[in-house]
Amino acid sequence: MTVLVVFASFLLAANMHVDAESSVPGASIVLQNAAEKGMTMPAIGIGTGGYGAPAETWNDGVAMKAVSTWIKLGGRRIDTAWDYYDQTGIGQAVYAAIDTGSIKRDDLFIVSKTHLLSGYNDTLSQLEDSLKQLQVEYVDLFLVHSKTIMPNSTDPKCQPGGPNLESACVKSTWKAMKEIFQRGRKGGARAIGVSNFEVEQLEYLLDDSILPSLNQVEYQPYWHEEDLVEFCRNRNITFNGYSPLGTPDFGPRARNWNCSLLELPLVKSIATAHNKSSAQVLLRWNWQQGIPVNPRSEQEEHMKENLAAILDETFHLTDSEMHALSNISPKPKCPKVCSACTPNT
């Protein structure tokens, strides 16, 4: 095991390292709390959420092709969810890669998520659905997808009118998650965590004996909640950033998006100075803070760039560049990419 000696202060805080003995190549991060002992997660994964995409643009077939390409290029973490509606295609790509002998199941790190905050029984059934669609016996990481309570949940603690509704639903859902963790590689998950949880929702779990291993939240230079990052790190909860490029992929919001980080002069000037793309600069900004990322991509060339942004040990942003990207001013008057995930809404 070789320690990556870059920006040591937050390398140590985030448990970042390069594991030469792991079957998962490249930079990775150690998961703690509700995770197998010594478990590591690749620093970069492929996001597969096609929110807002028409069926002909993002579907099982497109997801299968993208994941197949990702695996071929050496990508090992795959980020999906019950409600991305592409797990069947991803499962076909995973099965084909394993069946041909190009990789083993242990080489991959598969992440899936519930449909919103679902309650006890629905969480268990969604995990079972995901395993069938993905054609695997277990997932490496299973997340509660959101603090938003799923409509029509079968759990009385998640139904309108109940006392302390959000707190009760979070705790009931987490009870199911702990059962999934206990199953481990036998029909469960090697680690469990949450997504889109703010401090308030995380606090509901602080009196539990098992805390989440990870919290996946949007993180990019226009939207970065440092108080939430600090809260997670102080409790050994890995902070995982999604939408790291700060741009929606599909739909009217993407077509009318007038605050693209990729085109920001500051980002482009830093990219030119390092002979890198704007996307690589934004991904590196995340990783140098110890934050793993999962950008969505269909294009092979973009996947190569994304991998290189994290795995190229000669590519480092300077302290002044990091500071400038963290303090862009003025910020544009546009919503965060995941507008439905805004805190306290």
Side-chain angles (χ1 to χ4, degrees):
M1 184 179 296
T2 305
V3 177
L4 183 63
V5 188
V6 183
F7 291 85
S9 60
F10 39 74
L11 286 187
L12 294 174
N15 295 289
M16 294 163 57
H17 69 286
V18 174
D19 192 344
E21 300 175 356
S22 172
S23 61
V24 180
S28 59
I29 197 158
V30 176
L31 296 184
Q32 301 184 72
N33 298 332
E36 282 184 359
K37 185 177 180 179
M39 182 177 179
T40 61
M41 182 182 81
I44 184 166
I46 183 172
T48 64
Y51 290 123
E56 65 272 15
T57 303
W58 187 259
N59 51 49
D60 279 316
V62 176
M64 179 179 68
K65 182 179 179 181
V67 170
S68 295
T69 302
W70 179 248
I71 293 173
K72 179 190 73 174
L73 295 174
R76 293 295 179 259
R77 178 157 60 93
I78 302 162
D79 188 276
T80 186
W82 185 91
D83 52 6
Y84 287 177
Y85 308 112
D86 57 13
Q87 291 192 138
T88 297
I90 292 170
Q92 291 168 348
V94 168
Y95 179 85
I98 295 173
D99 188 54
T100 59
S102 59
I103 57 168
K104 299 177 181 178
R105 170 63 185 92
D106 287 350
D107 294 333
L108 296 175
F109 194 103
I110 301 174
V111 184
S112 189
K113 313 177 193 72
T114 65
H115 175 54
L116 304 178
L117 184 63
S118 302
Y120 183 81
N121 287 326
D122 294 296
T123 295
L124 295 177
S125 64
Q126 288 163 17
L127 181 275
E128 291 168 4
D129 288 345
S130 294
L131 294 181
K132 290 177 183 177
Q133 292 166 4
L134 292 166
Q135 301 186 58
V136 293
E137 294 182 4
Y138 64 91
V139 291
D140 297 278
L141 176 63
F142 196 58
L143 305 178
V144 179
H145 204 166
S146 173
K147 63 185 179 181
T148 302
I149 297 174
M150 183 182 78
N152 303 317
S153 170
T154 62
D155 191 333
K157 295 181 179 179
C158 299
Q159 294 171 357
N164 303 312
L165 180 58
E166 185 179 71
S167 172
C169 188
V170 166
K171 291 180 178 181
S172 188
T173 300
W174 192 244
K175 181 180 178 181
M177 295 293 287
K178 290 191 294 182
E179 182 175 320
I180 288 168
F181 178 48
Q182 289 172 352
R183 295 179 190 175
R185 297 175 187 248
K186 297 180 179 180
R190 297 173 59 217
I192 54 172
V194 296
S195 179
N196 297 308
F197 270 38
E198 298 295 325
V199 169
E200 181 180 1
Q201 290 77 43
L202 290 170
E203 286 180 332
Y204 297 146
L205 300 174
L206 291 185
D207 60 354
D208 199 290
S209 60
I210 299 179
L211 294 179
S213 66
L214 179 145
N215 187 17
Q216 187 180 114
V217 180
E218 180 170 344
Y219 194 87
Q220 36 100 349
Y222 283 156
W223 189 275
H224 45 103
E225 301 173 69
E226 302 308 334
D227 289 346
L228 179 59
V229 174
E230 182 178 5
F231 183 92
C232 289
R233 285 187 172 163
N234 287 341
R235 291 156 183 84
N236 295 321
I237 301 171
T238 293
F239 190 94
N240 175 197
Y242 69 76
S243 295
L245 306 184
T247 303
D249 296 311
F250 299 106
R253 292 182 72 234
R255 291 193 296 271
N256 300 321
W257 197 255
N258 61 357
C259 42
S260 172
L261 277 167
L262 296 171
E263 298 300 324
L264 192 71
L266 170 65
V267 176
K268 293 176 74 173
S269 66
I270 294 174
T272 299
H274 290 274
N275 195 28
K276 300 291 183 181
S277 70
S278 292
Q280 288 177 309
V281 167
L282 296 172
L283 295 177
R284 193 72 197 181
W285 174 80
N286 276 264
W287 183 230
Q288 286 188 197
Q289 298 177 78
I291 296 175
V293 291
N294 28 277
R296 199 197 67 80
S297 179
E298 297 174 45
Q299 305 301 320
E300 181 170 342
E301 196 58 36
H302 290 167
M303 293 182 197
K304 290 179 181 178
E305 286 187 356
N306 294 346
L307 285 165
I310 304 301
L311 302 180
D312 181 359
E313 295 183 41
T314 67
F315 175 31
H316 307 302
L317 301 178
T318 66
D319 289 346
S320 62
E321 290 168 341
M322 291 289 292
H323 182 269
L325 290 168
S326 298
N327 295 276
I328 295 172
S329 182
K331 286 185 170 60
K333 294 181 179 180
C334 60
K336 58 186 292 199
V337 174
C338 184
S339 58
C341 309
T342 302
N344 303 320
T345 60

